[in-house]
Amino acid sequence: MFRTDPRIDPRRRKGHGLKRLLLLLSVFVLTVLLLARVDSNAASRGVSNPAKFAGAFVNWGPVGREHTLQAWEKWLKQKPSSVLGVDFYGQTTWEDFSKLNWVPGVWKKLNSARNVVWSIPLTMKGTPLADVAEGLHDAEFEAAARAISEAHPTAIIRLGWEMNLAEMAWFAKGHEADYIGAFRRVVEIFRRHSSGFKFDWCPGWGPQDMPADASYPGDDVVDYIGLDVYDFKHEGTPEERWNNFYVKAPFGLEWHREFARLHGKRMSYPEWGVGNAGDNPFFIQQMHDWFMRNEDRIAYAAYFDVDGAWPTQIDNGAFPKSQLLFRKLFSR
């Protein structure tokens, strides 16, 4: 039973009641909006693909990269066949290029469910890009497109990558128009064999030996805009190197994000790795955080888990601090 104080005017009691009701309604609305936001965030996390940043270029192993990639998936507790594999389709001579049409078939035989990023050279040393642009090597690219389409009809074709590095046979400086013409011609050839191919235009990060955007071949022949990123021995602390040579550098990570946005494309990171500057878990953490901050704008990322020009393999104990953190961050 409620007691009413006779000293309070009924009209005042009515006013206080109305204010209280409005306050309760406001709290209710804010609570509903907050819960909706939490649910929305949870749904977003639920539909994200935890494997899209766990791809890798791995060693060939006893019979093929597929078995090594399966071990990589188990190491990261990823679902079978969920991560992208990366491979290279011959870079030395046209004869070598022509003889590699069996390699995609090995991938398919070992696991038909796997999708692969195929790095395709745009020319060979001694052959000018103009020859490719004019169609003098159409037959070689037709054979490659046929072999890849039969094994991986939805493959990502990373064509003429790192064209801004002088050591590449398809280095575009001074031949930008020929590079663009060759890129466009080869895309046309590959599209005849599968409409499911995606094409990745991928410079190396930083200024390198030419401005990368001078060789951009056009939005109609590019699906993803990639960037290869490695931890190099620059001066300064790991934090300073990260900010100065990766995030803020000309043709660095911020440029990459803005360039992709302007062209309406998603980003990719077909090669990245620690190792040139030693064991650097800070670099691993920062790359992971960059992927997470830009998750919706990135199609995929793949770690370079093979010792090439310098050691980068991260699952063999060579870089124990980086290895421990990598596994923690990129496991499902």
Side-chain angles (χ1 to χ4, degrees), residues 163-180:
M163 75 304 296
N164 55 337
L165 275 67
E167 62 264 29
M168 307 306 278
W170 46 91
F171 181 44
K173 186 176 183 179
H175 309 281
E176 290 85 354
D178 292 334
Y179 176 91
I180 290 169

Side-chain angles (χ1 to χ4, degrees), residues 32-59:
V32 170
L33 290 174
L34 180 61
L35 288 173
R37 183 176 179 181
V38 170
D39 287 343
S40 175
N41 289 339
S44 176
R45 288 192 300 270
V47 299
S48 66
N49 178 5
K52 77 173 181 176
F53 299 133
F57 174 56
V58 297
N59 287 301

Side-chain angles (χ1 to χ4, degrees), residues 21-83:
L21 178 61
L22 290 173
L23 179 61
L24 289 171
L25 285 172
S26 299
V27 171
F28 175 77
V29 170
L30 287 172
T31 302
V32 170
L33 290 174
L34 180 61
L35 288 173
R37 183 176 179 181
V38 170
D39 287 343
S40 175
N41 289 339
S44 176
R45 288 192 300 270
V47 299
S48 66
N49 178 5
K52 77 173 181 176
F53 299 133
F57 174 56
V58 297
N59 287 301
W60 181 259
V63 294
R65 300 192 200 280
E66 171 60 33
H67 284 315
T68 311
L69 197 60
Q70 288 176 15
W72 172 267
E73 281 179 323
K74 291 178 181 177
W75 184 61
L76 295 178
K77 301 176 183 177
Q78 297 290 345
K79 294 179 180 178
S81 308
S82 63
V83 309

